[in-house]
Amino acid sequence: MIPSIDLNDFLSGDAIKKQQFVNSIGKAYEDIGFVALKGHFLNEALVDNLYTEVKNFFDLPVETKQKYEIPGIGGQRGYVSFGKESAKGKKEGDLKEFWHFGQYVENNPKLEAEYPANVIVEELPEFNKVGKETYKMLEKTAKYVLRALALHLGLEETYFDNYILNGNSILRPIHYPPITEEPKDAVRAAAHGDINLITLLMGAQGRGLQVQNHQGEWIDAIAQPDELMINVGDMLSRHTNNKLKSTIHRVINPPRELWGTSRYSIPFFMHPISDMKLNVLEQCIDDNNPKAFEDITAGEFLTERLIELGLIKK
């Protein structure tokens, strides 16, 4: 089972509840790498509007969507068409198309120049507005999750705050279209670990997402309607010397009777600024756990992984 926790406990002002939240999320991330989170900052109306707009976008004609596929930026903003991305080590492209909203940089010309601009969909006036609002609310939620993890690791509570301010985070609405014929080797999303610090996933309500536990077994990760599924990414795993686990997960194809249906899923990948050092924290090194990773920055690590995923050509 994926543990379920409530962010309101952390924000309650009650020291005991706050500490219980820190303990629960710390234990979950050391054991399985996933939690289901209630009490986040998304409200129902915003979520409904987002799904409406996302469906409206993916329902547009292919040639309209392809207008928004921007060459030369490794799929970092705008549209990425069907089958372009594959998991690390897999030849088959995943059975999905997706969109990327990126950071809305505030007061930092250097980062504004570093990140590609967000892409505006002319046909859907609400699409970008709702995307931005969702991005902000998920980023706010992620900030408090990272504060809890900082406390769990024995760091200052606000340790991550400056690294994630204007960070290179991505909101990715994904459309897994109906399956029309037996897929040869492709699945909706092949087994993979995420690149970033933490991922906040909307749309894990139906069966599909599976998580691999330490015994190598695949377990279903199904959230309640008001929950986000949140997992540790490789950057945080590396920074904590694998104390917090980046868990391998996948999205399986549905049973044949549901092939005719689309699935929508909306992960928010929380990235730091690119010059954050991911060097292993001293707190996470001891005789039993010697330093397992070379020093690297978040930007260098991201580039390395985008090349492996086929989104950036060497």
Side-chain angles (χ1 to χ4, degrees):
M1 280 289 288
I2 306 293
S4 178
I5 54 176
D6 190 333
L7 189 58
N8 289 316
D9 292 344
F10 186 75
L11 302 172
S12 64
D14 176 328
I16 294 171
K17 279 187 175 170
K18 183 175 180 177
Q19 189 58 49
Q20 282 171 340
F21 181 90
V22 170
N23 297 347
S24 299
I25 197 168
K27 184 176 181 337
Y29 283 163
E30 288 184 22
D31 291 349
I32 185 82
F34 268 76
V35 294
L37 184 85
K38 294 184 195 305
H40 49 76
F41 293 102
L42 293 177
N43 64 49
E44 215 173 309
L46 177 58
V47 173
D48 289 348
N49 288 346
L50 181 69
Y51 276 105
T52 300
E53 290 303 316
V54 163
K55 287 174 181 162
N56 288 344
F57 175 77
F58 288 119
D59 285 346
L60 290 171
V62 173
E63 46 282 10
T64 307
K65 290 186 284 194
Q66 282 171 339
K67 260 192 343 197
Y68 299 111
E69 193 151 22
I70 313 297
I73 59 168
Q76 290 290 287
R77 299 288 182 277
Y79 179 62
V80 178
S81 53
F82 190 74
K84 275 275 168 72
E85 187 184 65
S86 54
K88 181 176 166 181
K90 283 260 307 180
K91 293 189 303 296
E92 298 77 27
D94 288 339
L95 305 178
K96 65 185 182 197
E97 54 178 348
F98 53 91
W99 179 272
H100 276 159
F101 296 102
Q103 184 59 269
Y104 303 87
V105 177
E106 287 165 24
N107 308 325
N108 192 324
K110 176 182 166 288
L111 286 177
E112 238 169 304
E114 180 186 322
Y115 300 154
N118 272 304
V119 179
I120 304 297
V121 176
E122 294 152 9
E123 291 79 1
L124 300 170
E126 288 297 300
F127 178 77
N128 290 83
K129 202 174 95 190
V130 173
K132 179 176 182 176
E133 200 182 332
T134 306
Y135 187 105
K136 293 285 187 198
M137 290 299 118
L138 287 168
E139 189 174 46
K140 185 177 176 183
T141 302
K143 179 172 81 172
Y144 289 106
V145 170
L146 285 171
R147 283 186 178 182
L149 292 175
L151 290 172
H152 174 69
L153 294 165
L155 302 164
E156 277 292 313
E157 182 171 341
T158 55
Y159 169 81
F160 289 102
D161 283 23
N162 283 334
Y163 295 126
I164 60 174
L165 178 68
N166 288 329
N168 195 13
S169 301
I170 293 273
L171 178 65
R172 174 192 277 192
I174 304 172
H175 174 222
Y176 300 104
I179 295 171
T180 49
E181 54 183 301
E182 184 76 57
K184 292 186 192 55
D185 284 316
V187 290
R188 283 187 158 174
H192 65 284
D194 292 339
I195 301 170
N196 41 297
L197 290 171
I198 55 174
T199 301
L200 290 73
L201 177 66
M202 305 168 62
Q205 275 73 28
R207 186 163 184 263
L209 177 66
Q210 292 190 327
V211 178
Q212 195 171 35
N213 66 17
H214 297 341
Q215 288 71 50
E217 302 156 342
W218 288 102
I219 56 175
D220 286 323
I222 301 174
Q224 296 302 312
D226 61 343
E227 290 178 333
L228 295 171
M229 205 54 90
I230 306 186
N231 63 285
V232 174
D234 292 348
M235 286 184 183
L236 187 58
S237 183
R238 192 181 180 112
H239 197 37
T240 63
N241 209 28
N242 271 340
K243 181 179 169 76
L244 303 181
K245 303 280 189 291
S246 173
T247 308
I248 299 293
H249 51 284
R250 66 184 182 186
V251 180
I252 55 169
N253 296 331
R256 193 176 278 265
E257 63 271 16
L258 293 176
W259 276 10
T261 57
S262 281
R263 177 186 171 99
Y264 297 89
S265 159
I266 308 178
F268 177 78
F269 300 112
M270 167 60 90
H271 281 264
I273 52 177
S274 54
D275 54 8
M276 178 184 181
K277 290 182 169 62
L278 297 178
N279 307 355
V280 173
L281 290 161
E282 291 298 320
Q283 287 90 328
C284 300
I285 301 172
D286 58 34
D287 292 346
N288 296 329
N289 300 286
K291 181 179 170 184
F293 301 102
E294 294 301 304
D295 294 351
I296 196 169
T297 66
E300 290 162 347
F301 185 65
L302 176 62
T303 301
E304 215 174 82
R305 288 292 298 273
L306 290 176
I307 291 168
E308 287 171 356
L309 293 175
L311 287 173
I312 291 183
K313 303 288 177 256
K314 262 195 171 133

